[in-house]
Amino acid sequence: MDSASLWKRYQQYLCHCPELGLWLDVSRMGADDGFLQQLEPAMQQAFIEMQALETGAIANQDEKRMVGHYWLRDTALAPSRELRQEIEQTVQTIERFAADIHNGTICSPAGNPFHKLLLIGIGGSALGPQFVADALGGPGDKMAAYFLDNTDPDGMDRVFQQIGELAECLVLVISKSGSTKETRNGMLEAQAAWHKAGLDFNRQAVAVTGTDSELDRLAVAEGWLARFPMWDWVGGRTSIMSAVGLLPAALQGLDIQGLMEGARLCDQATRSTTTRSNPAALMALMWHHATNGCGAKDLVMLPYKDRLLLFSRYLQQLIMESIGKQFDRNGRQVHQGLTVYGNKGSTDQHAYVQQLREGVHNFFVTFIEVLQDRQGESLEVEPGITSGDFLFGFLYGTRQALTEQGRASMTITVERLDARTVGTLIALFERTVGLYASLININAYHQPGVEAGKKAAGAIIELQRQLHDLLKTRPDMSSPDELATALGVPEKAETINALLRRITHR
């Protein structure tokens, strides 16, 4: 397609939302008016379903739960006065608690102010806070943030070494049920580290959890500093505007009101039932067009901003956990999904853009452009040219190189990267996921596959306990087949072999 045709398509398919400081260019996705007209009835139905969701319809049928992350940034939407008050009071409590930490009203047992923050969680209880911390944080933060987001002992040791002096570190333990094994293990490791340092972990610990969960009861019994709620109507991957994300951000000294304002304004813009002016609806349609509505191609995220590096990881969970489903809402086996990966520009010029341009055509790209390069003036690295100008050149050069090879892409442009913009981007993709799920008739708000993996892991841990007990009484037994037969699970010989190898080397 020549330059004149590309310019004409750009003008035809550009969606500009001045209230958000955002542009969405879908002109290089290859969709035409015929496709948009064909999907318009389905999109209007998706708008109806989204409205029902926001007003309190049961969306998670497995657990008979509402899905209310939209209420977190606009409490007027909450279906009851009690919920509205609870959300508002939680935000106020978060802000007061953060202020008390910052001004020293709440301090360490030794009377020292807290300068560091350790967050222990996994999945949605860590990815969102990590993304926000990295996107908006810096050397001037009120507290430096660290994360335990796995059950890898060596990884935990590295984090404790990075923290250094534990006496100045506040700990947030985040788990809705309180029984998530990775988070529990991280908490136990932290307790041991504090005890080894001669410190009282309970006087430095805060829980973010469900009411009367295991963690909630533990925090009460041990006298932790504070507890904040996690509600059953907020899924982990959409919990960033709850205490899960707002508390660590407030403690870090970030602008949580700006974060929520950006999300609220984006929610308003993406409620529009005029498809062409709704960026989330257009993105959902482009996902459908690129993948034939069945996950036929991958979504490659290319943000041209270092602060958005973790956005791809955040979106992996949001999109893949929401869209990756074996069955549709009618119970038919469909194996839906949308694979997400990404790095950052212009690093990608030296990584995998070679394959994107000339290799397997199994993807489409979403570029993210930030117009403001930095606070203040930029150095000219060549006459009249700054480093940011090169970043712009690499973005648009890569986009053009992909277009020349028939590789589809869309571009999101924002004016600057601040708390309001981060909130906007989060809300934009949350809404896109919900609308796309409706278009392909799957439930975006449950995750049976995750639970299946947890159950299988639990069975392996139980087998390890049985193996350990058997070896104490029969140390002469070493054959995986022999041990598996003795345990009454001959079909588990391969797992027994792996356990024996691990026991030998741990």
Side-chain angles (χ1 to χ4, degrees):
M1 188 176 293
D2 59 29
S3 297
S5 299
L6 288 171
W7 171 237
K8 183 177 180 181
R9 279 186 59 83
Y10 174 83
Q11 293 174 297
Q12 183 179 1
Y13 292 107
L14 180 69
C15 177
H16 180 208
C17 301
E19 70 277 22
L20 303 178
L22 180 144
W23 294 257
L24 173 65
D25 170 21
V26 299
S27 63
R28 300 190 180 213
M29 287 297 294
D32 57 21
D33 287 349
F35 172 78
L36 297 179
Q37 291 168 6
Q38 178 185 351
L39 271 285
E40 182 63 16
M43 181 54 71
Q44 290 301 318
Q45 179 60 34
F47 291 142
I48 293 171
E49 292 175 1
M50 183 61 69
Q51 183 180 25
L53 179 82
E54 288 193 315
T55 54
I58 299 296
N60 187 333
Q61 296 294 338
D62 293 350
E63 299 169 324
K64 305 302 179 186
R65 289 177 178 174
M66 300 180 291
V67 174
H69 52 277
Y70 296 106
W71 313 334
L72 298 171
R73 52 261 195 165
D74 189 351
T75 58
L77 297 172
S80 71
R81 184 177 67 179
E82 291 75 21
L83 274 180
R84 288 196 294 274
Q85 291 176 339
E86 191 173 357
I87 297 167
E88 291 167 359
Q89 288 170 2
T90 297
V91 174
Q92 292 167 8
T93 304
I94 286 170
E95 292 178 323
R96 284 197 302 269
F97 182 78
D100 286 343
I101 292 289
H102 297 156
N103 63 31
T105 301
I106 299 175
C107 58
S108 72
N112 299 321
F114 290 114
H115 295 300
K116 302 169 186 176
L117 173 67
L118 172 63
L119 187 152
I120 304 174
I122 196 166
S125 296
L127 279 169
Q130 281 178 297
F131 163 54
V132 170
D134 190 58
L136 300 176
D141 292 348
K142 295 183 183 296
M143 300 180 77
Y146 303 86
F147 297 86
L148 292 185
D149 64 351
N150 201 1
T151 187
D152 177 6
D154 177 62
M156 289 187 270
D157 288 344
R158 290 183 67 191
V159 172
F160 292 136
Q161 290 167 3
Q162 290 165 2
I163 294 172
E165 179 53 65
L166 300 179
E168 300 177 352
C169 185
L170 186 72
V171 183
L172 302 186
V173 183
I174 304 180
S175 172
K176 183 183 290 186
S177 67
S179 60
T180 304
K181 301 306 182 185
E182 297 94 335
T183 304
R184 184 211 58 175
N185 295 352
M187 180 189 71
L188 293 175
E189 294 266 4
Q191 286 175 328
W194 258 249
H195 179 73
K196 184 178 179 180
L199 300 170
D200 185 353
F201 178 84
N202 301 333
R203 299 283 301 279
Q204 297 180 226
V206 175
V208 181
T209 189
T211 301
D212 201 38
S213 71
E214 285 184 33
L215 177 58
D216 193 41
R217 294 193 297 271
L218 178 70
V220 171
E222 296 185 344
W224 288 19
L225 276 177
R227 294 173 294 132
F228 292 86
M230 290 181 75
W231 298 293
D232 64 3
W233 41 266
V234 179
R237 57 192 176 278
T238 56
S239 64
I240 199 166
M241 306 287 172
S242 72
V244 171
L246 295 183
L247 178 59
L251 289 167
Q252 199 176 342
L254 307 181
D255 179 11
I256 65 171
Q257 291 295 337
L259 191 71
M260 290 189 291
E261 179 191 20
R264 178 178 56 79
L265 291 173
C266 187
D267 288 344
Q268 291 176 357
T270 55
R271 284 189 195 105
S272 170
T273 57
T274 304
T275 300
R276 297 289 285 269
S277 62
N278 182 329
L282 279 178
M283 276 221 298
L285 287 167
M286 294 306 106
W287 290 4
H288 196 292
H289 182 268
T291 69
N292 295 321
C294 63
K297 291 186 178 179
D298 302 339
L299 166 56
V300 180
M301 292 298 306
L302 298 184
Y304 277 65
K305 196 70 173 177
D306 285 2
R307 288 181 178 272
L308 291 176
L309 172 63
L310 296 184
F311 196 38
S312 298
R313 286 184 59 197
Y314 173 78
L315 290 178
Q316 278 181 335
Q317 183 183 28
L318 174 65
I319 296 172
M320 295 177 72
E321 193 166 280
S322 299
I323 302 302
K325 301 294 159 63
Q326 181 176 359
F327 300 101
D328 69 11
R329 292 182 295 187
N330 301 117
R332 295 179 304 170
Q333 185 164 282
V334 291
H335 292 292
Q336 274 288 358
L338 179 56
T339 302
V340 181
Y341 65 92
N343 197 352
K344 66 178 182 180
S346 63
T347 302
D348 308 295
Q349 261 70 28
H350 305 277
Y352 52 75
V353 164
Q354 167 65 29
Q355 178 168 313
L356 297 187
R357 177 174 158 82
E358 298 184 7
V360 182
H361 191 182
N362 61 348
F363 67 91
F364 64 104
V365 172
T366 298
F367 293 100
I368 302 182
E369 174 190 22
V370 181
L371 296 179
Q372 184 184 65
D373 289 339
R374 60 154 47 113
Q375 298 288 339
E377 295 295 319
S378 283
L379 172 75
E380 290 188 2
V381 294
E382 293 182 9
I385 303 296
T386 68
S387 298
D389 294 329
F390 273 99
L391 190 67
F392 169 87
F394 285 129
L395 189 163
Y396 280 89
T398 301
R399 189 181 73 141
Q400 181 59 29
L402 294 179
T403 299
E404 290 170 357
Q405 291 292 93
R407 303 338 170 77
S409 70
M410 65 181 105
T411 303
I412 298 169
T413 301
V414 293
E415 293 175 352
R416 63 185 59 83
L417 193 66
D418 55 14
R420 188 173 175 272
T421 301
V422 169
T424 295
L425 290 172
I426 289 168
L428 176 63
F429 279 87
E430 284 178 349
R431 182 80 63 162
T432 301
V433 164
L435 294 174
Y436 181 67
S438 293
L439 290 179
I440 61 174
N441 192 35
I442 55 102
N443 185 345
Y445 305 106
H446 68 160
Q447 51 281 335
V450 175
E451 298 307 314
K454 291 179 180 179
K455 290 177 181 177
I460 291 173
I461 294 296
E462 179 57 32
L463 183 60
Q464 181 176 334
R465 290 194 187 98
Q466 295 172 13
L467 177 63
H468 181 266
D469 292 342
L470 177 61
L471 288 173
K472 283 195 298 184
T473 60
R474 293 294 307 275
D476 57 304
M477 298 179 69
S478 60
S479 163
D481 289 306
E482 186 181 21
L483 288 164
T485 299
L487 289 172
V489 286
E491 74 282 2
K492 299 292 185 181
E494 182 181 352
T495 304
I496 295 289
N497 181 65
L499 288 170
L500 288 171
R501 185 172 56 205
R502 168 164 174 72
I503 290 169
T504 302
H505 288 87
R506 72 177 180 181

